[in-house]
Amino acid sequence: MNQAIRINPVIDRLENILGRGDIPAPYDRWGARLLAHLTKPVQVVVTGLAGSGKSTLIEMMSTQPVIGQHLEVPIIELAYGEKERALFERQDGSMTGFPGFLKDCECPQDSIRARQELPDTKLISQTFVEIGLSGDLAQKRAILSSACERADIIIWCSQEFSQEEQHLWASVPDQIKDHSFLVLTMADRQLMRDVLSQNIARLEPIVADEFMGLYPVATIQGIAAQTSGEGLNQALWTSSGGKHLMDPVLRQIKQGRGADVDQAQIFLDRLAARTPEVDAEGREAPQMPDPVAINGRDTKEKSEVAARADDVAVDVVAPDGRSVALLSEAVDMLQQRARKMLDEMDHSDDLDAGAILNSCTEAMSSLAGLLDTSPVDDPATQGAREDVQEGEEMLMLFQLEHSEEAALDAVTLLLQIRKELIDKVV
C-alpha cells in the first residue's frame, strides 16, 4: 500500500473490503477499478506543438530541472520513485534504465517513452506527462485523443494558440476542457516584442469558453526563482507567472482527489445498502441472533407472531394500481433505453464510451423525472426514487473513468435498476 492510501481512511476501507474477496458482482469490478483510479497519481498532461516550451514548463511546475532540452521522445513522464532513475521504453517493449537524470542520459534512438523517477513526495499524488503533437493533422488529432484518455488535467503550451491549435483543441471532450489551462510560454519574450497584451486580448474570449484560464508564464524566470538562492524567490516567482499558474493547478489536483474520495464513500454506502453484512465503514456488520430462537420454550408462538408481522409489513408497502402503472412505465423506459444502447454497440465498429455514458445519464435523469410525478408519501415509488438517486451517484463513478468498460458497466447498472423496479411491481 502506498503513502496515498495510508493517509486516507476511505481508500483504506475500500481496499480492505475488496481484499476479502466476497463482494458480489458487478460491485467487485466497480470497486476494483475505483480503487485503481484512487491510488493512481493525478495525471497532469502538458501538451502542445513542437517547440512550445513543454519540457521547461514541467521543470518549472515540478521544481525539478532534470529533463533537459535534447530529448526527442513522444512521451516524457516525471513521476515518483524510490531513487533517482531515468528509464527508456524501447519499440520492442523493453526498458533501459540509468541512475540519475534524463538530461544527463543519451536517449536510445528507438525510444518511445522516457520516464524520470525522483524520490520527491510531491510526486506521489501527481505525475507530470509531456506529450508532443507531431505529424500531419490527423496524426496530431490521434495523439491528442490518446492524451485526453490519459489526462486528469491538461495544460496546453503555446505562444499564440494559432488557428491550427484551436482546430485541434475543438475535438477535446468537454469534461477535459473543464480541467484544462492554456499557458502562453516564453511570456517574457512576447513582452519584449510588445505582443503579449495583444495576444492576451485576442485569446480571452476563446479561453472563456474553452479553458479554465489563460496564464502567461516566463518559465526560465520561474525556474530561476526556485533554484537560485537558498529558498524560493517569491517576487520573481510571482512576476514570472509561475505562482498564478501553479496555485489553480494544485487546487484542481486537490479538489479532484477530494471528489474521487467522495465517490469512494458513495460506493461504500451503496455497497452497504446492497450487502447488509458490510457496513458503510467497510466492517462486517454484527449478526443479530434470531429472535425466534432466543428462548426455545415459545418457539412456535414466536414464529407465528413473526409470520404475522411479516404479513403486515408486506401489506403496508404493497403498491397500489397507480404506483404499479408508474413503475411499469419506468421499467419499460429503461428496457427500451438499454436495448437501444446495446444495439448501437453491436452495430458500431468503435464503442463510443462517452456517448454511452451520456445516454445512461440521460436515461437515469428521465427516470428520476418520471418518478418525481408520484406522490411523495408513496412507499413503493419512494424506494424507487432512492434507488435512482444511488444509481445517479454510481454513474458519477463511471464518468470518472470514461472507458469502454465503464460504459458497459453503466448499461449493466441500468439493467440492474430495472430488475429492482420489477421486484417492486410483482
Side-chain angles (χ1 to χ4, degrees):
M1 187 185 301
N2 66 28
Q3 183 172 341
I5 298 177
R6 286 199 299 269
I7 62 176
N8 194 291
V10 174
I11 300 175
D12 188 40
R13 289 198 298 271
L14 178 59
E15 185 180 50
N16 289 337
I17 289 176
L18 295 173
R20 293 191 354 227
D22 57 355
I23 302 301
Y27 291 94
D28 53 349
R29 66 174 184 272
W30 292 350
R33 291 210 318 275
L34 178 58
L35 181 63
H37 178 81
L38 285 165
T39 54
K40 182 181 73 172
V42 173
Q43 303 292 293
V44 182
V45 171
V46 178
T47 189
L49 302 181
S52 57
K54 298 180 292 295
S55 296
T56 308
L57 182 69
I58 287 180
E59 291 185 328
M60 186 202 78
M61 295 176 68
S62 65
T63 71
Q64 301 284 355
V66 296
I67 297 175
Q69 305 299 315
H70 68 288
L71 284 179
E72 295 184 3
V73 186
I75 300 174
I76 302 173
E77 302 172 348
L78 183 61
Y80 177 79
E82 294 183 357
K83 56 185 178 180
E84 296 169 349
R85 184 171 63 156
L87 297 168
F88 297 92
E89 181 180 357
R90 317 287 284 272
Q91 288 182 350
D92 61 3
S94 63
M95 299 291 293
T96 301
F98 304 94
F101 304 133
L102 285 173
K103 67 179 182 179
D104 300 323
C105 296
E106 184 174 345
C107 176
Q109 291 185 352
D110 62 343
S111 296
I112 59 174
R113 180 172 65 96
R115 179 180 176 91
Q116 175 71 61
E117 294 183 350
L118 296 170
D120 182 347
T121 55
K122 295 192 296 295
L123 294 174
I124 292 176
S125 59
Q126 68 244 13
T127 294
F128 294 97
V129 184
E130 176 184 335
I131 300 179
L133 304 179
S134 59
D136 59 27
L137 186 59
Q139 290 172 318
K140 290 174 182 174
R141 275 198 193 125
I143 296 171
L144 181 57
S145 176
S146 177
C148 290
E149 292 177 1
R150 174 173 187 165
D152 296 306
I153 296 171
I154 285 186
I155 297 175
W156 186 286
C157 291
S158 178
Q159 295 185 51
E160 59 177 1
F161 201 53
S162 65
Q163 287 293 327
E164 179 190 7
E165 293 173 278
Q166 293 175 39
H167 189 62
L168 286 167
W169 185 254
S171 65
V172 172
D174 287 340
Q175 70 267 18
I176 294 295
K177 291 181 178 179
D178 291 341
H179 305 282
S180 299
F181 303 81
L182 176 59
V183 174
L184 290 181
T185 53
M186 308 178 198
D188 49 342
R189 300 182 186 179
Q190 295 191 43
L191 187 61
M192 291 175 62
R193 296 198 306 268
D194 199 26
V195 296
L196 181 60
S197 298
Q198 178 182 337
N199 279 336
I200 292 174
R202 175 177 58 84
L203 293 173
E204 278 181 342
I206 299 172
V207 170
D209 294 329
E210 299 291 323
F211 294 91
M212 291 193 66
L214 172 63
Y215 298 88
V217 177
T219 49
I220 300 300
Q221 289 184 18
I223 291 174
Q226 300 171 89
T227 57
S228 60
E230 295 183 357
L232 177 66
N233 184 325
Q234 290 285 356
L236 187 57
W237 178 236
T238 300
S239 64
S240 71
K243 174 178 171 56
H244 297 300
L245 172 63
M246 285 307 299
D247 284 353
V249 169
L250 292 176
R251 189 160 55 246
Q252 274 292 301
I253 292 172
K254 182 178 180 180
Q255 290 175 350
R257 184 56 78 209
D260 292 347
V261 172
D262 290 343
Q263 297 302 325
Q265 185 61 61
I266 289 171
F267 175 84
L268 290 172
D269 292 341
R270 181 169 176 82
L271 183 61
R274 292 294 179 269
T275 54
E277 67 275 9
V278 177
D279 68 13
E281 297 297 315
R283 301 182 295 258
E284 282 195 41
Q287 299 297 315
M288 297 300 293
D290 184 352
V292 176
I294 293 176
N295 189 333
R297 290 177 299 176
D298 298 324
T299 298
K300 181 178 179 181
E301 179 182 354
K302 292 176 181 178
S303 297
E304 292 173 352
V305 171
R308 289 197 298 271
D310 288 342
D311 290 340
V312 171
V314 170
D315 290 340
V316 169
V317 299
D320 58 21
R322 182 176 53 180
S323 298
V324 169
L326 186 64
L327 292 173
S328 297
E329 183 180 351
V331 168
D332 292 340
M333 185 193 74
L334 282 184
Q335 177 66 21
Q336 293 170 7
R337 294 286 189 109
R339 183 183 293 118
K340 179 181 178 182
M341 282 184 281
L342 290 172
D343 287 343
E344 290 175 352
M345 285 188 283
D346 289 340
H347 294 90
S348 175
D349 293 334
D350 297 318
L351 190 150
D352 189 339
I356 293 172
L357 287 167
N358 289 337
S359 295
C360 290
T361 301
E362 291 172 4
M364 201 72 75
S365 178
S366 298
L367 180 60
L370 177 63
L371 294 175
D372 282 343
T373 64
S374 66
V376 177
D377 58 352
D378 181 4
T381 52
Q382 174 61 28
R385 280 195 294 269
E386 293 173 356
D387 289 341
V388 171
Q389 182 178 358
E390 292 175 353
E392 290 176 321
E393 293 169 344
M394 289 298 295
L395 280 176
M396 293 172 62
L397 300 179
F398 302 145
Q399 289 282 5
L400 285 175
E401 191 169 346
H402 215 72
S403 66
E404 292 185 1
E405 190 175 1
L408 293 174
D409 279 342
V411 178
T412 301
L413 177 62
L414 287 186
L415 294 174
Q416 178 177 318
I417 290 179
R418 173 182 173 273
K419 180 179 180 298
E420 294 172 358
L421 292 176
I422 292 175
D423 292 341
K424 297 180 187 301
V425 173
V426 298

